[in-house]
Amino acid sequence: MAHEVTLIEGDGVGPEVIRAAQRVVDASGVSIAWDKCEAGAKVFRKGLATGVPQATIDSLKRTRIALKGPLETPVGYGEKSANVTLRALFDTYANVRPVRHLPGIAGPFADRAIDFVVVRENVEDLYVGMEYGQTPSVAEALKLITRKGSEKIIRFAFELARAEGRHKVHCATKANILKLTEGLFKHVFENVSQDYPDIESTHLIIDNCAHQMVMRPEIFDVIVTTNLHGDIISDLASGLTGGLGIAPSANIGDSVAIFEAVHGSAPDIAGLNSANPIAILLSSVLMLRHLNEFEAAHLIEAAIFYTLGTQKAFPRDLDKISTLTTAAFTDYVIDNLGKASDFQQSRPYRSMHLPQTTTPEPEPNVSRKDVGVDIFIESTSPVETLGKHLEEMALPSPFTLKMISNRGIQVYPDLNGIQPDLADHWRARFFLQEECAPLNDFQVLQLVRVIGEHYRWMHIEKLAEFDHTPAYTKAQGES
Ligand code: NAD
């Protein structure tokens, strides 16, 4: 039976490279019923603000698989890109970016046996898009990491390692600085890794990961990381092996998977029949494996290796003197289907088990105690004046001012000998006196009301202890 796949040509070079992928996949012998749908610039120009028509959404709900060209948001149309719309609609939480040296492609890393996969959490972190102007001169973004989201992507990374016959998973975080958010991701990694004793697991700090990726890229097999780090290191990684023209990707959710090249619409070369189709061809290979069509995936991958490594035929971005058009390079790949390449052959791929998270949320057995509040206020007063004033205001309340910080550094009661450059955005930390526990909302609102008579407050954070452990971090210099 034919697999139904939603086909979105996209913008710029999209139609040229998607046509190449369609031709190669069809020639590989696998039976695909392509459902051609629209998204992107054309759709925005018709006046649809999401860039994705209902017919495309319905098609994806039915087929659950898409092969997609790059999408543009034309200037003056749409508030969000069509890619963001698709990601949000189908909750594609895993962004998978294989990074592999391909035969015949020159470059400073050509002899380094690079062959790893970056698995990027694709939904949470700073990309939740919760940003707030705190004062006219201070802005804030919330970095949201959940245990459930972390567990899902980390299990995904281990399952991918197993499905591709890989042996190591590195988890890259900034847990040394962001102890609660990135720390949670690291903690979940350490727990989940115990369920995969057959896979070696290592945590490393993201900056070291970036360094190692350049110094010793051959040590990596699978790297799992949070959204923003993944965004950056996956682009760094594709730069190691030959750039955008050859970088494939998959966006995987519980119900839908979207396969696409990493590159954009390349408007500078659109319509010239010169775009490199390898990135979308390798994305098609990922799609075929997702459909359990391992034989067809292997045929296409080997044909690309043969074309580059044995036949030395290259698209123009990889060889400036090449005269091969997109269509002509595609013809070579089709002609080479079935030819064996002497380049390292495919891995022992097998179907991947998509993880189901097991952690109930919220966790039932964790004790909770609220011990105080941080109140964020706007002020241009000198720190001593502000500190004394807040202390006075807290006197009749059940709270004691513990400290004030500015840009994360304690500035009151002690400056700790430093002279920080101050902003008009302060965090005042109040602890509830033990004898007044447990903390209740009325106590908090009373304090906020009193402070609010003198200062503009922006937000309040409760200071909680979970299982008797502080669930807040200390300011720099706070005892
Ligand atoms: P781009 O990837 O389109 O182009 C960057 C450079 O790489 C250009 O010089 C281009 O010619 C070259 N290039 C890209 N793909 C190539 C290929 N297959 N063969 C040969 N050369 C190739 O990035 P950009 O210019 O920043 O973005 C252009 C548009 O694409 C923007 O509207 C952007 O929002 C959109 N975009 C979409 C996606 C997506 O849909 N997933 C991803 C990135 C960018």
Side-chain angles (χ1 to χ4, degrees):
M1 221 177 68
H3 302 280
E4 247 202 306
V5 171
T6 302
L7 187 72
I8 301 171
E9 281 188 337
D11 304 312
V13 295
E16 297 158 58
V17 295
I18 285 284
R19 176 81 195 116
Q22 205 182 355
R23 287 179 58 212
V24 173
V25 171
D26 286 343
S28 74
V30 70
S31 181
I32 304 270
W34 303 100
D35 185 22
K36 206 168 156 186
C37 291
E38 285 189 327
K42 278 187 263 180
V43 179
F44 282 117
R45 289 201 177 95
K46 284 181 193 164
L48 190 65
T50 59
V52 185
Q54 190 58 41
T56 305
I57 296 168
D58 292 342
S59 171
L60 252 163
K61 279 187 181 159
R62 193 181 65 252
T63 65
R64 302 170 59 156
I65 305 277
L67 186 64
K68 180 180 96 52
L71 305 180
E72 275 175 22
T73 310
V75 179
Y77 294 86
E79 284 205 353
K80 297 234 188 249
S81 84
N83 288 316
V84 172
T85 303
L86 284 171
R87 193 178 306 162
L89 271 174
F90 294 107
D91 195 21
T92 48
Y93 66 89
N95 178 250
V96 181
R97 299 258 300 253
V99 182
R100 185 173 194 183
H101 166 67
L102 298 183
I105 298 184
F109 295 91
D111 59 347
R112 302 296 293 275
I114 293 177
D115 179 7
F116 62 87
V117 186
V118 179
V119 176
R120 163 186 170 194
E121 199 290 320
N122 213 19
V123 181
E124 302 191 343
D125 199 355
L126 286 161
Y127 292 75
V128 293
M130 296 184 196
E131 292 193 291
Y132 302 94
Q134 294 282 290
T135 75
S137 49
V138 176
E140 170 193 271
L142 291 188
K143 177 178 170 83
L144 213 71
I145 303 284
T146 70
R147 184 181 298 273
K148 193 172 185 175
S150 304
E151 180 169 350
K152 212 163 163 182
I153 195 70
I154 289 164
R155 283 196 186 279
F156 184 98
F158 279 103
E159 292 294 339
L160 179 105
R162 275 187 179 164
E164 298 201 349
R166 296 181 182 269
H167 306 292
K168 280 187 284 187
V169 176
H170 281 88
C171 171
T173 74
K174 196 73 187 169
N176 53 331
I177 304 291
L178 300 168
K179 296 187 193 309
L180 295 182
T181 49
E182 295 276 316
L184 176 59
F185 197 84
K186 174 174 183 270
H187 178 69
V188 173
F189 176 75
E190 285 158 356
N191 282 343
V192 167
S193 63
Q194 291 169 22
D195 293 344
Y196 296 88
D198 49 321
I199 311 273
E200 190 185 321
S201 60
T202 311
H203 172 265
L204 82 176
I205 300 296
I206 186 68
D207 26 341
N208 183 27
C209 179
H211 176 77
Q212 297 298 340
M213 211 176 254
V214 176
M215 300 302 287
R216 297 193 300 152
E218 59 281 352
I219 66 169
F220 293 114
D221 218 356
V222 175
I223 301 172
V224 63
T225 187
T226 49
N227 207 341
L228 180 61
H229 300 324
D231 192 1
I232 298 165
I233 63 158
S234 55
D235 263 34
L236 165 64
S238 53
L240 296 175
T241 49
L244 287 174
I246 63 166
S249 80
N251 294 290
I252 312 233
D254 284 332
S255 57
V256 160
I258 301 173
F259 298 85
E260 62 180 331
V262 168
H263 64 73
S265 59
D268 50 337
I269 56 167
L272 300 180
N273 195 14
S274 69
N276 183 344
I278 295 177
I280 195 76
L281 293 179
L282 291 175
S283 306
S284 314
V285 167
L286 299 179
M287 178 186 83
L288 290 172
R289 287 200 199 111
H290 188 82
L291 292 168
N292 292 334
E293 293 287 355
F294 297 104
E295 183 55 32
H298 173 74
L299 270 183
I300 296 174
E301 199 174 56
I304 295 170
F305 294 165
Y306 187 92
T307 309
L308 296 171
T310 311
Q311 212 164 29
K312 308 281 180 219
F314 299 101
R316 293 183 196 170
D317 62 325
L318 298 178
D319 175 7
K320 294 295 164 233
I321 58 167
S322 168
T323 54
L324 284 184
T325 60
T326 309
F329 181 83
T330 307
D331 292 340
Y332 275 93
V333 175
I334 292 172
D335 286 348
N336 292 332
L337 286 169
K339 292 185 186 158
S341 155
D342 53 7
F343 186 66
Q344 183 200 345
Q345 286 303 294
S346 288
R347 301 174 156 277
Y349 293 102
R350 53 188 169 85
S351 339
M352 186 175 154
H353 166 77
L354 279 182
Q356 301 297 316
T357 42
T358 51
T359 318
E361 207 163 10
E363 284 200 48
N365 301 322
V366 175
S367 77
R368 296 165 173 77
K369 183 180 172 194
D370 293 326
V371 294
V373 282
D374 277 354
I375 303 179
F376 290 75
I377 59 176
E378 177 177 355
S379 169
T380 49
S381 303
V383 60
E384 277 299 317
T385 315
L386 179 66
K388 297 255 175 321
H389 197 188
L390 288 173
E391 272 171 349
E392 273 167 31
M393 284 188 273
L395 266 183
S397 83
F399 292 96
T400 309
L401 179 71
K402 165 84 188 315
M403 65 101 204
I404 303 174
S405 72
N406 192 294
R407 299 203 300 171
I409 300 171
Q410 175 173 316
V411 289
Y412 187 88
D414 253 335
L415 264 174
N416 295 312
I418 45 167
Q419 286 295 326
D421 204 0
L422 299 173
D424 58 358
H425 177 260
W426 308 80
R427 171 179 55 168
R429 173 160 289 178
F430 296 93
F431 278 116
L432 187 70
Q433 291 151 22
E434 264 306 319
E435 61 275 19
C436 303
L439 183 140
N440 66 56
D441 288 353
F442 181 74
Q443 296 162 328
V444 176
L445 295 176
Q446 271 295 95
L447 180 66
V448 173
R449 192 187 61 74
V450 172
I451 292 175
E453 282 172 10
H454 301 274
Y455 300 94
R456 180 177 162 268
W457 63 272
M458 283 76 74
H459 74 108
I460 310 165
E461 290 282 348
K462 274 188 179 165
L463 302 176
E465 286 180 2
F466 298 147
D467 276 347
H468 312 288
T469 305
Y472 51 90
T473 51
K474 285 186 174 170
Q476 199 70 43
E478 184 181 353
S479 56

